[in-house]
Each structure stands twice: as structure tokens, then as C-alpha cells.
Amino acid sequence: MRRCIPGPAAALVLATLLMAGGAGGAGAQTRTAPDSAPRPRPYPVLETPAFSLAVQRGTRTRTGAPGPRYWTNYARYRIDASLDPATRTLTGRETIRYENRSPDTLPLLALHVRQDLFRAGATRNREVPITDGMRLARVAAQGQELKEERESAPRQANSASWQRDGTVLWIRPPQPVPPGGAVDLELEWSFTVTPDGAPRGGTDGEVFMVSYWYPQMAVYDDLGGWQADQYEANAEFYMGYADYDVALTLPAGWLIGSTGVLQNPEAVLSEPTRRRLAQASRTRQVVHVVAAADRGAGKATTPGEAGKLTWRFRANNVRDFDFAASDQYLWDATTAVVGDANGDGRPDSASINTLYRPSRIPWAWDQSGRYLQHSIEFLSRYLWPYRYPRMTAIDGVTSCSGMEYPMLTCVGGPRDTLGLYSVVVHETAHMWFPMQVGSNETRHGWQDEGLTRFNQTEAMREFFHGYDRFDLARQSYGGLARLGREVELMRHGDEYPLDSPAYGVASYEKMSLILHALQGILGDSTFLKAYREYGRRWLEKHPTPFDFWNTFEDVAGRDLDWFWRPWFYDTWTLDQAVASVEPAGDSTAITIEDRGLAPMPVLLVVTKAGGATQRITLPVEPWLAGARRRTVRVAGAVRAVAIDPEKWLPDVDRTNNVWSGLRP
């Protein structure tokens, strides 16, 4: 379990263990010194001082469950916005009621203004199109219009005001917000939608993917207060839960895919479109709600007033609101059966929608409704029932690649059947992590991307009848590890080297392999029980890595620090080898060497001379005690020996995992 060693004691323990060779890091070797060299052993996982304090305050526990005093703050947004496709201008105004459910008084409020990533001179870690960022026309708090403070450093002004600090907007309201209190904010803004090439959105002239488009409250949590990391383009997001009431005004004839549920279909959708949409809600067959001949004002949509329509959406208890729009879209819809999501004992369903251009049909988009339906239904079985009323996949700009938003995914770029299903199910899996289980992606990208990659791989295995995407993960991770260029998982998402695939390998591929290894070690039943329990405990909350690890240990009833430390904090690698197979009287002696640094159980399969197989698991403890070599005896003659033939564990050199006594 987690060890809490405060202050200087922790430093002393770590220094002692480091001198003994207990730490790895970027570039750690895959092989060790000869047998005579002492074996480095993983040191315990030490919780941070902030986590220890949270345990003392009752907001966290060392069992992995939220504490009895756990809380999250909450926001309620009302947004009215209009998009002018001709000028690429979005203009909006919003009101936010921010509820302070914490025990702290808040003299300052932090909001993300992520469009300022595109301002000239902004700090960022990838190339982006340049605009003038977000133009703020009005900022008010508690009914009082605030002035921008330019002279003092951010957060240092004494009077009610607002200040820009990179992509963060700091507001000092007229009065601090007390525990249990609330504050009302009003903002008016506009910006130019970036051309295709911006990360996670923009326009290619036909489709607008509008994301990170309104001032959004930062997360204030029990571990560090305001989590107001700058948006630098690489690391993704940490967001709080909120209700959204959104009105979007666009030209008539344009279709929108978005977060939330449409509240005024009679005002914006034509009668034939509404009729076909109702048909789709009653069947698991894909219905063409808007075909090529149905597009345009007066066909897909109502004519509107002065050629415009206002679409009204509502979404409750989600972490963001985003939308895509185009006058080129076709619209397919169907229904997914998700299981008992609301606990009333009856199966529930979700509306499935895909919007795409006719030119994307060769990229398999005409199958996208079926792909999205399977994704939702599989993940609802594998994890827990999908909790939202809708899910939409849209054909977006190239720079989307694949990007998730609540109830919505944007997919860009050419795809084939395998490629489109792969990205659709990956982004759909994000509806569980981090949409429902709200981890801090900015600082721990693996906590959503790695879990999602693992879930994607399991879904692809079913959809493509045994296809094993773990092979791609093994190649990516193994290749980088053998070059000594991988970087540990426990690193901020913006602090990975920019000239390397290290971020993607660590956060996506390696983490999926770590979960696969944990499944092989714990067994399928215990693993899935712990995995689902982690999700259940932290639904609509903000778990840390410690909560993830503690939940697994709590459910499994095992101390797994020996597993967490080398795979999350270090870059130690696994290399188990069959060193020798020798007759020993009426038995056979099999010697296994551990040539890597990461200690793991040995999953051994022995084939006897007569063809029968024997499975043997050698526990991890002798490796932890310093052993490099172990011998196991089996009765009778042996024809073949294989270490981990099912490839549960991320061994970087499988050429030495097999011995065969057969001769050609």
C-alpha cells in the first residue's frame, strides 16, 4: 500500500535507495551487470504531501475510495453564441454561476481562455495558426463590471478586476466567495476560428469544429486549490463538472453535432428530418436522417428567419460543451442498447448519430453509425452502462485527428475500415475516461489515454474477431525502450521531449501494456473487478494516480508497489530468459534468468515429451529479494519451454523466451 514518509525522512530513504541502484529513468538500460552485481530493487511508492494532507482532512483515503468529506465545486453555464462562416467569427456571451462547495474562501477565480494559445507570442510546444486570440469585451462579477488590471503581476491586484496570464484569466470579484457560497460571472467575447492546422479544431472551409471556445472555470480541487496550468497545445485537459444551456445561431441549412440534447427540434429541423430521427430512435438499424438530396435550408432544416436558425442544447453534469457544424453534412442515426444505466432494473438506450460529407464515404464513413453503435454497446458491457443520452461522431478537420468531447468525437484525416473503427472506438472510450472519471489529463496523460487505449484494444478484438492491437503497442514501446529513449509515465504532459514519440508511447501504448500485464498477473476476474470499482468510486470526481493504485490494491488485497514503481516512475524494462533446460534424473531442471530491471512474476508454460502442457507461475518475491536466476524442476522429460507465450507481460526481448528440444 502507499507509504507516507514525511519530509526529511522521505528524502533520506530515497537517497539511500538511489545509492543502492533503486531508481531508473529516461534512457535506463535493458540489461544489467553480471550476476555478481547487486540487483536494484523498486523502492516504495511515496504519496505526496498534498495527498497525505487530503487523507488527514478526510477527502481521500488510502483504500482508493473518496473520503467522507470529499467535494467538488460546480458551475452552471448559459451561453449564447453565433458563428459567421464567411468571416470565421464566433461571437458569444455567457453567464456562469460558480458554486463553492469547498471549505475554503475564494478571493480569486481562475478561468481557462484557451483560444489565447493562438495569440502571437503565446507559450506553446507545437506550431499553430496565429490569430488575435480571444477578444474579451466585458467581464463582470456579482453584477459589477470589472476593469482589466495590466500593471501588477497576475493575482496581485487589490481591487475587483480581471487579468490575463497566458491562457488563464484571473478574476478578483468584489467580495470573496465563502464556503457554501456562489458567484455570478458575466463575459462577452469573440474570436476568429482558426484554419485547419490548429490542434483539436478549426475549419477547412466546409466544416467548423469549434472547441475550447468559451471562458471556462478551472478546477479547484482538494489537493492543490486552483489547477490553472497553461494550455501549451500538447497536454490535454483537466475540467470540472457543470450544467450547460447553450444557444447557437448559424445559417439555415447547416447541421450541428454537439454535446447535449437538442431542445427545440421543431424550430430548426424540417418535418421529414424529425420523422426520420424518430424512426432511428426505435431501431438498431442505421437510418439516413439526412441524405445527399435532403441537405439545405427548407429540406434538412427549417428556412429560418433572415436565413438563420438558433439551435438550443442542454447538457447536465458534463465537463465541457463543444460542437461541429457544416452545410455539407449527411446525417445517419440509430440506437445503442447500453444496459441499466439509471438503476431502475430495465435496459436503457442512447441515441447514436454520425455526420459526414459525401466525399468521406470512400473512407468508410457510411459505416460510421454501425461502428459507433458497437463502440457504445461493447464499452457499456465491458466497463459500465453509458450514462449520457446521446453520442455523436463527426467527420471533422484534419487537425482533429481523433479528439473527444462530452457526447461527441471529431475524426479527421483519411481512414479505412480498420482506421475509422479504431479512432471511433478510442474516442468513444473517452466517454468513460476522462469524461465520467475526471482525472487530470494535463499532468497524468496516461490516466485517461492509457486506459482508453486498453479499452479500445479490447473492443477491436471483439469487432475484428481476434485482432490484437497490443502487437502495435509492443512494437512502439519495445522499439523506444530498446533505444533507451523512453520517458517515464509520471511526467507532466508538456514536459516530454518534442522531437520524440515518448509522450504517445508512454501515455498510450505503454500504459495499455501495463494494464494488460496487470490483468495477466491478477487474473481476469480480479482485474476487471478492480478496474470497474475504480471507475464506480470516482464517477464525476477527480481521482489521482494514488486513488487508482490504492483501489487496485484494495480490491486485489495485495501490495503492488513493486509493480507501480518501475512501470510508472521509472523506465526499467523486463527481459526474462530461458537460460537452460537440463535433464536431472527423472526430472528436468529449467533455469530462468531475469536480465532486465523490472521484477515480474514468470508465467511459464512447459510442454512435456508426450505433448501435455504444464503451467507454472514463479512469484515475484525472489526477484525482489535480489535473485537473478531461479531453477524449477518438473517431472519427466521436456520438449519445449516458453515464458509468457500469451504475451501478457511487456518483455523487450522475446527471442530468449522460448526453448525447444526438437531438432530440425
Coordinates of all heavy atoms in Angstrom, one line a residue, residues 202 204 206-210 253-258 289-296 300 323-332 354-358 360 365 392-397 400 408-411:
G202 N -10.8 23.8 -35.6 CA -10.6 24.8 -36.6 C -11.6 24.5 -37.8 O -12.6 23.8 -37.6
D204 N -11.9 23.9 -42.2 CA -11.3 23.7 -43.5 C -12.1 24.3 -44.6 O -11.8 24.0 -45.8 CB -11.1 22.2 -43.8 CG -12.4 21.4 -43.7 OD1 -13.5 22.0 -43.7 OD2 -12.4 20.1 -43.7
E206 N -15.3 23.9 -45.1 CA -16.5 23.2 -45.2 C -17.1 22.8 -43.8 O -18.3 22.8 -43.6 CB -16.4 21.9 -46.0 CG -16.0 22.1 -47.5 CD -16.0 20.8 -48.2 OE1 -15.8 19.7 -47.6 OE2 -16.1 20.8 -49.5
V207 N -16.2 22.4 -42.9 CA -16.6 22.0 -41.6 C -16.0 23.0 -40.6 O -14.8 23.3 -40.7 CB -16.2 20.6 -41.3 CG1 -16.3 20.2 -39.8 CG2 -17.0 19.6 -42.2
F208 N -16.7 23.3 -39.6 CA -16.2 24.1 -38.4 C -16.2 23.2 -37.2 O -17.3 22.7 -36.8 CB -17.0 25.3 -38.1 CG -16.8 26.5 -39.0 CD1 -17.3 26.5 -40.3 CD2 -16.0 27.6 -38.6 CE1 -17.0 27.5 -41.2 CE2 -15.8 28.6 -39.5 CZ -16.3 28.6 -40.7
M209 N -15.1 22.9 -36.6 CA -15.0 22.1 -35.3 C -14.7 23.2 -34.3 O -13.5 23.7 -34.3 CB -14.0 21.0 -35.4 CG -13.9 20.3 -34.1 SD -15.4 19.4 -33.6 CE -15.6 20.0 -31.9
V210 N -15.6 23.6 -33.5 CA -15.5 24.6 -32.5 C -15.3 24.0 -31.1 O -16.2 23.5 -30.5 CB -16.7 25.6 -32.6 CG1 -16.5 26.8 -31.6 CG2 -16.9 26.1 -34.0
G253 N -29.9 25.6 -42.9 CA -29.3 24.6 -43.8 C -28.1 23.9 -43.2 O -27.7 22.9 -43.7
W254 N -27.5 24.6 -42.2 CA -26.3 23.9 -41.6 C -26.8 22.9 -40.5 O -27.8 23.2 -39.8 CB -25.5 25.0 -40.9 CG -24.6 25.8 -41.9 CD1 -25.1 26.5 -43.0 CD2 -23.2 25.9 -41.9 NE1 -24.1 27.1 -43.6 CE2 -22.9 26.7 -43.0 CE3 -22.2 25.4 -41.2 CZ2 -21.6 27.0 -43.4 CZ3 -20.9 25.7 -41.5 CH2 -20.6 26.5 -42.6
L255 N -26.1 21.8 -40.4 CA -26.4 20.9 -39.3 C -25.3 20.9 -38.3 O -24.1 21.2 -38.6 CB -26.4 19.4 -39.9 CG -27.5 19.2 -40.9 CD1 -27.4 17.8 -41.5 CD2 -28.9 19.4 -40.3
I256 N -25.7 20.6 -37.0 CA -24.8 20.7 -35.9 C -24.7 19.3 -35.2 O -25.7 18.7 -34.9 CB -25.2 21.8 -34.9 CG1 -25.3 23.1 -35.5 CG2 -24.4 21.7 -33.6 CD1 -25.8 24.2 -34.6
G257 N -23.5 18.9 -34.9 CA -23.2 17.8 -34.0 C -22.6 18.4 -32.7 O -21.6 19.1 -32.8
S258 N -23.1 18.0 -31.6 CA -22.7 18.7 -30.4 C -22.8 17.8 -29.1 O -23.4 16.8 -29.1 CB -23.5 20.0 -30.2 OG -24.7 19.7 -29.6
V289 N -30.9 9.9 -41.9 CA -31.8 11.0 -41.4 C -31.7 12.2 -42.5 O -32.7 12.8 -42.8 CB -31.4 11.5 -40.0 CG1 -32.2 12.7 -39.6 CG2 -31.6 10.4 -39.0
V290 N -30.5 12.5 -42.9 CA -30.3 13.5 -44.0 C -29.4 12.8 -45.0 O -28.3 12.6 -44.8 CB -29.7 14.8 -43.4 CG1 -29.4 15.7 -44.6 CG2 -30.7 15.5 -42.4
A291 N -30.0 12.5 -46.2 CA -29.2 12.0 -47.3 C -28.8 13.2 -48.2 O -29.1 14.4 -47.9 CB -30.1 11.0 -48.1
A292 N -28.0 12.9 -49.2 CA -27.5 13.9 -50.1 C -28.5 14.9 -50.6 O -28.4 16.1 -50.7 CB -26.6 13.3 -51.2
A293 N -29.7 14.3 -51.0 CA -30.7 15.1 -51.6 C -31.5 15.9 -50.6 O -32.4 16.7 -51.0 CB -31.7 14.2 -52.4
D294 N -31.3 15.6 -49.3 CA -32.1 16.2 -48.3 C -31.4 17.5 -47.6 O -32.0 18.1 -46.7 CB -32.4 15.2 -47.1 CG -33.0 14.0 -47.6 OD1 -33.9 14.1 -48.5 OD2 -32.7 12.9 -47.1
R295 N -30.2 17.8 -48.1 CA -29.5 18.9 -47.4 C -30.0 20.2 -47.8 O -30.6 20.4 -48.9 CB -28.0 18.8 -47.8 CG -27.3 17.6 -47.3 CD -25.8 17.5 -47.7 NE -25.7 17.3 -49.1 CZ -24.6 17.3 -49.8 NH1 -23.4 17.5 -49.2 NH2 -24.6 17.1 -51.1
G296 N -29.7 21.2 -46.9 CA -30.1 22.6 -47.2 C -31.3 23.1 -46.4 O -32.0 22.4 -45.8
A300 N -33.3 19.9 -45.0 CA -32.8 19.3 -43.7 C -33.2 20.1 -42.5 O -33.6 19.6 -41.5 CB -31.2 19.3 -43.7
F323 N -19.0 21.8 -30.3 CA -19.8 21.5 -31.4 C -19.1 21.6 -32.7 O -18.0 22.2 -32.9 CB -21.0 22.4 -31.4 CG -20.7 23.9 -31.8 CD1 -20.9 24.3 -33.1 CD2 -20.3 24.8 -30.8 CE1 -20.6 25.7 -33.4 CE2 -20.0 26.1 -31.1 CZ -20.2 26.5 -32.4
A324 N -19.7 20.9 -33.7 CA -19.2 21.0 -35.1 C -20.4 21.3 -36.0 O -21.5 20.9 -35.7 CB -18.6 19.6 -35.6
A325 N -20.1 22.0 -37.1 CA -21.2 22.5 -38.0 C -20.8 22.5 -39.4 O -19.6 22.8 -39.7 CB -21.7 23.9 -37.6
S326 N -21.7 22.2 -40.3 CA -21.4 22.2 -41.8 C -22.7 22.2 -42.5 O -23.7 21.6 -42.1 CB -20.5 21.0 -42.2 OG -20.3 21.0 -43.6
D327 N -22.7 22.8 -43.7 CA -23.8 22.7 -44.6 C -23.7 21.5 -45.6 O -24.5 21.3 -46.5 CB -24.1 24.0 -45.4 CG -22.9 24.4 -46.3 OD1 -21.8 23.7 -46.2 OD2 -23.0 25.4 -47.0
Q328 N -22.6 20.7 -45.5 CA -22.3 19.6 -46.3 C -22.7 18.3 -45.7 O -22.6 17.2 -46.4 CB -20.8 19.6 -46.6 CG -20.2 20.8 -47.3 CD -20.8 21.0 -48.7 OE1 -20.8 20.1 -49.5 NE2 -21.4 22.2 -48.9
Y329 N -23.0 18.3 -44.5 CA -23.2 17.0 -43.7 C -24.4 16.2 -44.2 O -25.5 16.7 -44.4 CB -23.4 17.3 -42.2 CG -22.1 17.5 -41.5 CD1 -22.1 18.3 -40.3 CD2 -20.9 16.9 -41.8 CE1 -20.9 18.4 -39.5 CE2 -19.7 17.0 -41.1 CZ -19.8 17.8 -39.9 OH -18.6 18.0 -39.2
L330 N -24.1 14.9 -44.3 CA -25.1 13.8 -44.2 C -25.3 13.4 -42.8 O -24.4 13.6 -42.0 CB -24.7 12.6 -45.1 CG -24.2 12.9 -46.5 CD1 -23.8 11.6 -47.1 CD2 -25.3 13.6 -47.3
W331 N -26.4 12.9 -42.5 CA -26.7 12.5 -41.0 C -27.3 11.1 -41.0 O -28.4 10.9 -41.5 CB -27.7 13.6 -40.5 CG -28.0 13.4 -39.0 CD1 -27.6 12.5 -38.1 CD2 -28.8 14.3 -38.3 NE1 -28.1 12.7 -36.9 CE2 -28.9 13.8 -36.9 CE3 -29.6 15.5 -38.6 CZ2 -29.6 14.5 -35.9 CZ3 -30.3 16.1 -37.6 CH2 -30.3 15.6 -36.3
D332 N -26.6 10.2 -40.3 CA -27.1 8.9 -40.0 C -27.4 8.8 -38.5 O -26.7 9.4 -37.7 CB -26.1 7.8 -40.4 CG -25.9 7.6 -41.9 OD1 -26.7 8.2 -42.7 OD2 -25.0 7.0 -42.3
T354 N -24.1 10.1 -36.5 CA -22.8 10.4 -37.2 C -23.1 11.4 -38.3 O -24.2 11.3 -39.0 CB -22.2 9.1 -37.8 OG1 -23.0 8.5 -38.8 CG2 -21.9 8.1 -36.7
L355 N -22.3 12.4 -38.5 CA -22.4 13.4 -39.5 C -21.1 13.4 -40.3 O -20.0 13.5 -39.8 CB -22.7 14.8 -38.9 CG -24.0 14.9 -38.2 CD1 -23.9 14.6 -36.7 CD2 -24.6 16.4 -38.3
Y356 N -21.3 13.4 -41.7 CA -20.1 13.3 -42.5 C -20.4 13.8 -43.9 O -21.6 13.8 -44.3 CB -19.6 11.8 -42.6 CG -20.6 10.8 -43.1 CD1 -20.7 10.5 -44.4 CD2 -21.5 10.2 -42.2 CE1 -21.7 9.6 -44.9 CE2 -22.5 9.3 -42.6 CZ -22.6 9.0 -43.9 OH -23.5 8.1 -44.4
R357 N -19.4 14.2 -44.7 CA -19.6 14.6 -46.0 C -19.6 13.5 -47.0 O -19.0 12.4 -46.8 CB -18.4 15.6 -46.4 CG -18.4 16.9 -45.6 CD -17.1 17.6 -45.7 NE -16.1 17.2 -44.7 CZ -15.0 17.8 -44.4 NH1 -14.6 18.8 -45.1 NH2 -14.2 17.3 -43.5
P358 N -20.3 13.6 -48.1 CA -20.4 12.6 -49.1 C -19.0 12.2 -49.6 O -18.7 11.0 -49.9 CB -21.2 13.2 -50.3 CG -22.0 14.2 -49.6 CD -21.2 14.8 -48.5
R360 N -16.5 11.7 -48.0 CA -15.8 10.8 -47.0 C -16.4 9.4 -47.0 O -15.9 8.5 -46.3 CB -16.0 11.3 -45.6 CG -15.0 12.3 -45.1 CD -14.5 13.3 -46.1 NE -13.6 14.3 -45.5 CZ -13.0 15.3 -46.2 NH1 -13.2 15.4 -47.5 NH2 -12.1 16.1 -45.7
W365 N -17.0 6.2 -44.0 CA -17.9 6.9 -43.1 C -19.4 6.4 -43.3 O -20.2 6.7 -42.3 CB -17.8 8.4 -43.4 CG -16.8 9.1 -42.5 CD1 -15.5 9.4 -42.9 CD2 -17.0 9.5 -41.2 NE1 -14.9 9.9 -41.8 CE2 -15.7 10.0 -40.8 CE3 -18.0 9.5 -40.3 CZ2 -15.6 10.6 -39.5 CZ3 -17.9 10.0 -39.0 CH2 -16.6 10.5 -38.6
T392 N -22.3 11.2 -30.6 CA -22.2 11.7 -32.0 C -20.7 11.6 -32.4 O -19.8 12.0 -31.7 CB -22.7 13.1 -32.1 OG1 -24.0 13.2 -31.7 CG2 -22.6 13.6 -33.5
A393 N -20.5 11.1 -33.6 CA -19.2 11.1 -34.3 C -19.3 12.0 -35.5 O -20.3 11.8 -36.3 CB -18.7 9.7 -34.7
I394 N -18.4 12.9 -35.7 CA -18.5 13.8 -36.8 C -17.2 13.7 -37.6 O -16.1 13.6 -37.1 CB -18.7 15.3 -36.4 CG1 -17.6 15.9 -35.5 CG2 -20.1 15.4 -35.7 CD1 -16.7 16.8 -36.3
D395 N -17.3 13.8 -38.9 CA -16.2 14.0 -39.9 C -15.8 15.4 -39.8 O -16.5 16.3 -40.1 CB -16.7 13.6 -41.3 CG -16.0 14.4 -42.4 OD1 -14.8 14.6 -42.3 OD2 -16.7 14.7 -43.4
G396 N -14.5 15.6 -39.3 CA -14.1 16.9 -39.0 C -12.9 17.3 -39.8 O -12.5 16.7 -40.8
V397 N -12.2 18.4 -39.3 CA -11.0 18.9 -39.9 C -9.8 17.9 -39.7 O -9.8 17.1 -38.7 CB -10.7 20.3 -39.4 CG1 -11.7 21.3 -39.8 CG2 -10.5 20.3 -37.9
C400 N -8.2 17.6 -36.2 CA -8.9 16.8 -35.2 C -8.2 15.5 -34.9 O -8.0 15.1 -33.8 CB -10.3 16.5 -35.5 SG -11.5 17.8 -35.1
L408 N -19.4 13.5 -27.9 CA -19.0 13.9 -29.2 C -17.6 13.6 -29.5 O -16.7 13.7 -28.6 CB -19.2 15.5 -29.3 CG -18.7 16.1 -30.6 CD1 -19.7 15.8 -31.8 CD2 -18.7 17.7 -30.5
T409 N -17.3 13.1 -30.7 CA -16.0 12.9 -31.1 C -15.8 13.5 -32.5 O -16.7 13.4 -33.4 CB -15.5 11.5 -31.1 OG1 -14.1 11.4 -31.6 CG2 -16.3 10.6 -32.0
C410 N -14.7 14.1 -32.8 CA -14.3 14.7 -34.1 C -13.2 13.8 -34.6 O -12.2 13.5 -34.0 CB -13.8 16.1 -33.9 SG -13.2 16.8 -35.4
V411 N -13.4 13.3 -35.9 CA -12.4 12.4 -36.5 C -12.0 13.1 -37.8 O -12.8 13.5 -38.7 CB -13.0 11.0 -36.8 CG1 -12.0 10.2 -37.5 CG2 -13.5 10.4 -35.6

